[in-house]
Amino acid sequence: MKPSLQTKLQQLAYRLEEINGLLADERATSDMAQYRRLNQEHAEITPVVEHYQAWQLAQADLATAEGLLADPDMKEFAQEEVEAAKQRLLELDAELQLLLLPRDPNDERNIFLEIRAGAGGNESALFAGELFRMYSRYAERQRWKVELISASEGEVGGYKEIICRILGQGAYSRLKFESGGHRVQRVPETETQGRIHTSACTVAVMPEADAAAEININPADLRIDTFRASGAGGQHINKTDSAIRITHLPSGLVVECQDDRSQHRNKAQALSVLAARLKDMQDRAQQAKEASTRKSLIGTGDRSDRIRTYNFPQGRVTDHRINLTLYKIDAIMEGGLDELIAALTAEHQTELLSALAGDE
């Protein structure tokens, strides 16, 4: 283990002792905000320190075993202990590096998921509907909640655009690499010649912003319009002008919400989506700045990036960022995204480890 890494781990061990003392103080709960912050920090540091203590123990075991190598009667046993301790140290070293990787502060947040049909007309809208179903099924498997914000239906089914909110622990950490262009290749039902058509959708995954703490939206920068909800939902949602359209004048962003009978709740939801989009713009600007000096993490999330192709005739899904092809398109379209997400996460961790090694 590098000395710089060991120094950092020792500092975390001292910090954990300090936090334990602060939490044990009878006045700890007098400031509940501080108390919650300390508990959160305690939860984050504890597994790192426990691994570090296990690493120290393995180091001590190695030293003891090496000390026994000089004894002829103990040499064979000691050699086995040396090898076991070295293997344990290698494993703990790798685990500690992962635990020390910088955490994405958005990882535990709920998300807003936006899917928009692109090139391909009706076929693209149908594919947008299938992507929404895929993510909804995945959310169900995670026991997350999906709330529809707004939807514009396609002429023959699917959606020209659909926006939803997904509520669940770690939603952003699991789905943050889904932003970008998704391409589908298949023979449309209306195609009489059996030719394969290519169409595309764009997906945007944005962490839900804490509007009060992170995004300062000046009411003077907003134009708020009300209108009557339309489409399949609007027929029974209301007969009044409860749908909301908010235009953020400085950025030109436009957000609509028409899923609720209450104008007040629609406005609150629309403001939440707007805050998430503004935060997303800020984050992307920061990422672009960082990427100019260091390799960007897998997929910039740029809407123009073609990140994945779904080829139905061949039954395959290919993620172009990591050159991964899986021949299980049916399972994936039913929400079986775990293998894709695990591979993307592993690649991201590899890049972070490489950057961490470069910093040291």
Side-chain angles (χ1 to χ4, degrees):
M1 182 184 294
K2 293 182 178 180
S4 59
L5 194 60
Q6 197 166 348
T7 299
K8 186 172 184 179
L9 288 165
Q10 191 58 57
Q11 289 171 345
L12 288 175
Y14 292 145
R15 176 58 180 164
L16 186 60
E17 286 183 21
E18 183 183 8
I19 293 172
N20 283 332
L22 291 170
L23 290 173
D25 192 300
E26 60 184 16
R27 296 163 296 178
T29 55
S30 60
D31 183 344
M32 287 306 296
Q34 173 70 0
Y35 183 70
R36 282 192 292 270
R37 282 193 293 270
L38 286 171
N39 271 296
Q40 183 177 351
E41 188 179 356
H42 186 278
E44 291 173 357
I45 291 177
T46 297
V48 182
V49 174
E50 287 176 347
H51 273 72
Y52 177 51
Q53 290 169 341
W55 182 87
Q56 290 177 309
L57 182 60
Q59 279 280 71
D61 290 342
L62 176 61
T64 301
E66 287 176 335
L68 293 173
L69 287 172
D71 186 339
D73 295 332
M74 299 293 291
K75 186 173 182 179
E76 186 176 342
F77 169 76
Q79 191 61 51
E80 291 178 1
E81 291 296 299
V82 166
E83 294 304 319
K86 284 182 177 179
Q87 182 60 37
R88 180 68 176 141
L89 281 168
L90 283 173
E91 293 170 359
L92 286 166
D93 197 276
E95 290 168 9
L96 279 166
Q97 286 191 60
L98 287 177
L99 286 168
L100 286 171
L101 288 178
R103 290 173 56 84
D104 187 331
N106 296 318
D107 272 353
E108 296 306 310
R109 297 190 181 213
N110 302 326
I111 63 169
F112 287 104
L113 172 70
E114 301 184 356
I115 305 172
R116 291 183 176 81
N122 290 335
E123 178 67 11
S124 179
L126 289 170
F127 183 50
E130 290 170 276
L131 286 176
F132 175 66
R133 182 176 181 274
M134 177 183 78
Y135 291 123
S136 297
R137 287 292 178 89
Y138 179 74
E140 287 174 14
R141 294 182 181 203
Q142 308 302 313
R143 291 182 168 80
W144 296 341
K145 183 180 179 183
V146 179
E147 292 180 351
L148 186 66
I149 302 296
S150 67
S152 173
E153 296 180 357
E155 294 175 8
V156 297
Y159 299 99
K160 296 176 183 176
E161 175 187 279
I162 184 164
I163 303 172
C164 70
R165 180 177 178 229
I166 298 181
L167 299 86
Q169 186 174 6
Y172 184 71
S173 70
R174 301 287 288 170
L175 293 176
K176 62 184 175 182
F177 300 124
E178 293 301 301
S179 290
H182 293 242
R183 185 176 68 169
V184 62
Q185 295 174 325
R186 63 183 170 191
V187 180
E189 291 182 10
T190 55
E191 170 58 58
T192 56
Q193 304 296 319
R195 292 172 297 190
I196 294 174
H197 287 226
T198 298
S199 53
C201 293
T202 55
V203 172
V205 176
M206 299 173 295
E208 186 175 30
D210 181 347
E214 296 176 283
I215 303 297
N216 183 21
I217 300 177
N218 187 346
D221 291 338
L222 303 178
R223 186 176 73 236
I224 301 176
D225 302 305
T226 59
F227 61 99
R228 187 160 298 178
S230 59
Q235 293 170 11
H236 63 266
I237 285 177
N238 59 70
K239 298 298 181 184
T240 60
D241 293 345
S242 66
I244 292 288
R245 180 185 297 111
I246 298 178
T247 304
H248 185 249
L249 300 174
S251 66
L253 289 174
V254 179
V255 179
E256 292 183 1
C257 184
Q258 55 177 307
D259 194 52
D260 202 286
R261 292 183 176 87
S262 163
Q263 186 180 109
H264 176 75
R265 283 194 291 271
N266 279 332
K267 181 180 177 183
Q269 284 277 44
L271 283 170
S272 293
V273 175
L274 177 61
R277 286 187 183 173
L278 289 170
K279 184 178 187 302
D280 186 54
M281 287 175 65
Q282 291 179 5
D283 290 348
R284 289 182 190 286
Q286 182 63 29
Q287 287 170 8
K289 187 177 179 182
E290 292 171 357
S292 65
T293 56
R294 175 183 288 173
K295 183 183 175 186
S296 176
L297 57 84
I298 47 168
T300 61
D302 192 298
R303 311 296 182 258
S304 64
D305 280 358
R306 186 194 71 189
I307 65 167
R308 194 175 296 152
T309 296
Y310 304 74
N311 186 300
F312 279 82
Q314 296 178 14
R316 66 173 170 83
V317 175
T318 299
D319 197 290
H320 304 289
R321 296 163 294 179
I322 54 176
N323 296 319
L324 173 67
T325 296
L326 300 174
Y327 288 88
K328 48 177 71 174
I329 195 167
D330 291 340
I332 288 170
M333 298 309 294
E334 286 295 321
L337 295 171
D338 286 332
E339 192 170 349
L340 274 168
I341 289 170
L344 288 162
T345 302
E347 179 69 16
H348 180 45
Q349 288 177 340
T350 299
E351 291 194 1
L352 288 175
L353 285 169
S354 177
L356 188 66
D359 287 343
E360 293 176 1

